[in-house]
Amino acid sequence: MKTTYREAMRAAIREAMQRDERVFLMGEDVGHYGGCYAVSLGLLEEFGPERIRDTPLSESAFTGAGIGAALGGMRPIVEIMTVNFSLLALDQIINNAATLRHMSGGQFSVPLVIRMTTGAGRQLAAQHSHSLEGWYAHIPGLRILAPATVADARGMLWTALQDPDPVLIFEHGTLYAVPGELDDDAGAVDIDTAAVRRPGADVSLITYGGTLPMVLEAADRLATDGIDAEVLDLRTLRPLDDAAIAATVTKTHRAVVVDEGWRSGSLSAEISARITERFFYDLDAPVGRVCSAEVPIPYARHLELAALPTAERVVAAAREAVHAGG
Amino acid sequence: MTDQHQAHDLLRRMLRVRRLEETCVELYSATKIRGFLHVQIGEEAVAAGVMSALEPDDAVVATYREHGHALLRGVSADSILAEMFGKQEGCCRGRGGSMHLFDAATRFYGGNAIVAGGLPVAVGLALADRMQGRRRVTACFFGEGAVAEGEFHESLNLAALWQLPVLFVCENNLYAMGTALRYTESQTDLALKAAAYEIPAWPADGMDALAVAEAARRAVDAVRSGGGPHFLELRTYRFRAHSMFDPERYRDKAEVASWVERDPIATLRATLQAEDRLSEEEWTAMQQEVDAEMEQAVAYAEAGTPEPVEELTRFLYTEPATP
Ligand SMILES: Cc1ncc(C[n+]2csc(CCOP(=O)(O)OP(=O)(O)O)c2C)c(N)n1
Ligand SMILES: [Mg+2]
């Protein structure tokens, strides 16, 4: 079946709503507007305003209400329009959702799913271009997902809803229109493991979410140079699939981490540190990193492109890794 | 200013905003401008009226729907369009784009794309004036959608508690993106929210530039003379989509059409003509003048230089003074 990332996500929400009466969707413009990115288009008509809830511009209140509703026995899907606005809900996510189980000595659980759009690449300038998923991945108590494919867009939500703890799903804004093939019976997928999207022998390109298509393109370009790159899609950013990272690094002995987040104190830094902690003697080259330039993302196209990871930069970093030490 | 002079001035202001934004929409379609573009076509009386009441050393804080506010505050159409073209000559050297126009010379503090994000900043600007004994006013514009945010309530309370010289200007166009006010507020009379914080608040017809100018003048005078924060709710309507991506499923054409009949430019023009206070020649001349301004601005933006990529990481921190 031909579909798009957006439609796959919508099918996932629809299925969850049909299968479990406790599931409902709330967020800004999810109903009458049809979803800021049209993910929830048509769902208000199908499920009504009780279960497709338009909220006021009150990120902290409706995210906190999602936490409360989860505590109270519901299975809310909170949609925060974009990660940029999740900053207004940070207190609820980090001080409540992430802590309640532990802080209460295991008495309370928050089975909440929060979805949000992330990322740059559409000339939306600094306040609308954040990639803060790595930042959320810093927080114990949260599970962080970054579906990069149509199958993951279709399948991760249901599994996330079965998780008794809070799960954040980051949907990169450039992915919604991406087309893909989906089996007619496509359904839930695991939310624990990373996936090798392209096997290779010479260098491991480790990435997730919005940069996956670009990294696959870089791998194709490297192939024409005779460099056989393996592409690992992390899928879950917390907890990281250490086994998958180990498998690819011990296979290729070279790694480049590609992350749209900023480099300092980032997810790419974490992955690089884990690789060197455990596989230092397996490496044939220093771990490379391709991240965003350390500036607020600028509006102008040429400046934005200069700030973001690109296939050229990934190719260059992979070549450097392969040619390191001769 | 005589009444007639003021009315012509307001008409010209609104026309400048309208033409600037019509130009932006064309340039967007021609892919010269990208990203998000939010126009205020239909709402021009708000910025025109309020700006006419401010002094040059007052401060302005606005939202992402701020082209008109910037223009009428004194930022040139040249530098606004150059900014949207991503050029060095733009008011933010191509970094901000449509949603982030800034201009220190006119004390225009943006251009904020986070709903309600400007309100606390406006309170702080006013605090600084208060603490330094300056009789300046900070005008803070925001949409009615912002009223639901905590930052709105926290800011109003703080401004009232400390009696700060802020003018809160709520641009109530009835919709926050596609969600109508009635779906988001238990109390839709927004002036009451300000009143709850002991802030004098009154509504005005945001489609009537003269009414806005009068309401703003009263409020600004009161703020400047030490009366503490004031709140204006200006009832208006955006004729166009929320942004260039909005399919407008949430409102019907008849509703839009009924507001278009109250077009603030057409209304003021008709009033003046009916009273014989605007001749056909004057109107034609005004249009020609504004068209020429915008044509010139497009040419300026086209001719500009893209900000060099080498400059990407500039302005992150203060640059060391060059000897
Ligand atoms: C904190 C935050 N949440 C969500 C958004 C997305 N958003 C941008 S504009 C908008 C509607 C705002 O409506 P209103 O304040 O009434 O201003 P208007 O667009 O009508 O001028 C929304 C939801 C945002 N920019 N910031
Ligand atoms: Mg509005």
Side-chain angles (χ1 to χ4, degrees):
Chain A
M1 174 178 57
K2 270 240 156 300
T3 187
T4 60
Y5 187 95
R6 179 193 333 272
E7 286 165 7
M9 195 59 78
R10 185 184 311 138
I13 298 172
R14 179 183 290 121
E15 186 200 10
M17 302 272 297
Q18 287 165 345
R19 280 174 75 170
D20 187 341
E21 281 187 352
R22 299 170 302 172
V23 173
F24 68 101
L25 176 72
M26 73 173 151
E28 291 158 14
D29 289 301
V30 297
H32 293 89
Y33 187 85
C36 181
Y37 294 98
V39 169
S40 54
L41 185 61
L43 297 182
L44 174 65
E45 291 71 18
E46 199 172 333
F47 296 102
E50 271 291 303
R51 296 182 72 199
I52 301 292
R53 281 187 176 259
D54 273 325
T55 64
L57 276 134
S58 311
E59 287 81 4
S60 187
F62 70 74
T63 303
I67 295 169
L71 284 167
M74 298 299 284
R75 289 290 178 277
I77 305 171
V78 166
E79 175 176 313
I80 299 180
M81 203 178 269
T82 75
V83 67
N84 312 286
F85 319 140
S86 77
L87 299 180
L88 283 79
L90 215 47
D91 170 56
Q92 290 298 325
I93 298 171
I94 294 178
N95 279 325
N96 281 341
T99 63
L100 283 177
R101 175 183 290 281
H102 183 83
M103 222 163 47
S104 68
Q107 299 178 77
F108 291 122
S109 124
V110 182
L112 168 69
V113 172
I114 305 176
R115 301 174 37 243
M116 57 185 110
T117 303
T118 188
R122 292 166 296 146
Q123 284 196 260
L124 302 184
Q127 295 179 339
H128 275 60
S129 299
H130 290 300
S131 292
L132 298 175
E133 51 278 5
W135 215 44
Y136 281 103
H138 178 64
I139 309 299
L142 302 179
R143 179 181 289 268
I144 309 297
L145 310 182
T149 64
V150 165
D152 279 350
R154 178 68 183 83
M156 280 183 154
L157 180 70
W158 180 254
T159 318
L161 283 164
Q162 308 317 301
D163 192 316
D165 297 314
V167 179
L168 273 55
I169 304 181
F170 288 89
E171 304 163 14
H172 198 287
T174 58
L175 292 175
Y176 287 122
V178 170
E181 270 299 321
L182 206 56
D183 292 343
D184 288 339
D185 61 350
V189 297
D190 84 87
I191 54 171
D192 300 301
T193 62
V196 174
R197 299 295 184 196
R198 182 190 201 281
D202 298 334
V203 57
S204 301
L205 306 178
I206 302 175
T207 193
Y208 67 88
T211 40
L212 178 65
M214 178 274 282
V215 171
L216 287 167
E217 182 200 322
D220 285 345
R221 286 203 217 169
L222 287 163
T224 64
D225 273 10
I227 296 175
D228 185 20
E230 174 149 303
V231 176
L232 184 71
D233 171 7
L234 292 168
R235 300 182 65 246
T236 299
L237 310 184
R238 184 183 186 102
L240 283 168
D241 182 355
D242 284 314
I245 296 171
T248 189
V249 172
T250 53
K251 177 180 174 192
T252 66
H253 308 285
R254 297 175 172 90
V256 172
V257 188
V258 184
D259 179 4
E260 198 181 288
W262 292 298
R263 181 191 207 89
S264 302
S266 65
L267 189 68
S268 69
E270 174 63 25
I271 293 166
S272 166
R274 288 190 189 201
I275 293 171
T276 46
E277 278 164 2
R278 293 179 57 208
F279 304 109
F280 185 77
Y281 298 106
D282 290 281
L283 290 174
D284 288 340
V287 178
R289 285 198 278 162
V290 181
C291 303
S292 287
E294 305 237 345
V295 288
I297 305 301
Y299 158 76
R301 184 74 192 141
H302 64 291
L303 295 179
E304 183 182 42
L305 274 176
L308 298 177
T310 57
E312 290 70 43
R313 265 167 243 147
V314 174
V315 165
R319 282 207 188 110
E320 200 178 315
V322 169
H323 299 130
Chain B
M1 237 191 303
T2 64
D3 281 359
Q4 169 142 339
H5 189 95
Q6 191 205 13
H8 281 208
D9 176 61
L10 288 170
L11 186 61
R12 183 179 295 102
R13 283 169 187 263
M14 292 195 288
L15 194 61
R16 289 178 68 217
V17 175
R18 177 74 53 95
R19 289 287 179 269
L20 172 67
E21 295 207 308
E22 286 170 345
T23 305
C24 290
V25 171
E26 272 170 38
L27 292 166
Y28 198 93
S29 304
T31 74
K32 299 275 186 184
I33 298 175
R34 296 282 82 192
F36 283 160
L37 182 79
H38 309 84
V39 294
Q40 57 183 273
I41 291 175
E43 303 180 9
E44 293 91 343
V46 170
V50 176
M51 294 299 172
S52 74
L54 298 178
E55 296 297 330
D57 63 348
D58 290 337
V60 175
V61 176
T63 70
Y64 47 86
R65 198 182 298 288
E66 91 288 28
H67 313 141
H69 304 67
L71 183 73
L72 299 186
R73 185 59 195 163
V75 186
S76 73
D78 290 6
S79 76
I80 292 173
L81 280 185
E83 181 58 30
M84 294 193 218
F85 276 53
K87 301 284 176 74
Q88 204 167 38
E89 293 79 2
C91 54
C92 304
R93 306 181 65 130
R95 286 165 176 78
S98 156
M99 300 197 288
H100 305 291
L101 303 171
F102 289 85
D103 184 55
T106 55
R107 302 199 69 228
F108 190 75
Y109 289 91
N112 196 315
I114 302 300
V115 171
L119 281 98
V121 176
V123 170
L125 284 163
L127 176 63
D129 283 337
R130 188 44 212 284
M131 294 179 78
Q132 293 172 88
R134 287 184 297 239
R135 282 169 59 86
R136 305 197 295 203
V137 173
T138 297
C140 179
F141 295 84
F142 52 89
E144 87 297 337
V147 169
E149 294 283 10
E151 286 183 328
F152 169 88
H153 296 274
E154 295 173 27
S155 299
L156 261 64
N157 182 49
L158 211 51
L161 186 69
W162 293 342
Q163 285 295 292
L164 302 176
V166 192
L167 175 63
F168 293 105
V169 184
C170 179
E171 311 175 310
N172 182 1
N173 61 10
L174 301 174
Y175 291 89
M177 257 177 85
T179 304
L181 185 62
R182 65 180 179 282
Y183 295 127
T184 57
E185 288 295 328
S186 56
Q187 171 56 269
T188 54
D189 184 344
L190 303 179
L192 287 179
K193 312 235 178 214
Y197 293 102
E198 301 288 332
I199 294 178
W202 57 84
D205 181 356
M207 303 305 274
D208 178 346
L210 292 165
V212 174
E214 174 55 20
R217 193 192 51 73
R218 269 176 60 209
V220 167
D221 286 352
V223 173
R224 200 183 307 282
S225 54
H230 279 60
F231 183 102
L232 291 179
E233 182 205 343
L234 303 176
R235 296 180 181 161
T236 183
Y237 199 81
R238 69 171 153 71
F239 294 172
R240 302 289 179 95
H242 167 74
S243 73
M244 302 303 283
F245 295 105
D246 169 10
E248 286 187 86
R249 295 186 186 93
Y250 50 85
R251 60 182 192 182
D252 57 47
K253 295 215 161 59
E255 180 185 292
V256 181
S258 74
W259 280 90
V260 169
E261 278 174 25
R262 301 184 48 207
D263 185 320
I265 297 176
T267 307
L268 182 56
R269 183 189 154 205
T271 309
L272 290 173
Q273 286 183 330
E275 293 168 1
D276 254 351
R277 297 201 289 153
L278 178 74
S279 69
E280 206 46 47
E281 295 72 47
E282 283 171 315
W283 171 240
T284 306
M286 194 185 286
Q287 285 178 297
Q288 283 169 348
E289 197 185 300
V290 171
D291 287 347
E293 178 188 5
M294 299 311 152
E295 266 167 46
Q296 145 67 28
V298 176
Y300 179 85
E302 289 276 8
T305 318
E307 175 79 340
V309 167
E310 299 69 48
E311 306 273 279
L312 173 66
T313 55
R314 272 189 77 188
F315 311 123
L316 191 58
Y317 300 103
T318 311
E319 292 173 3
T322 38

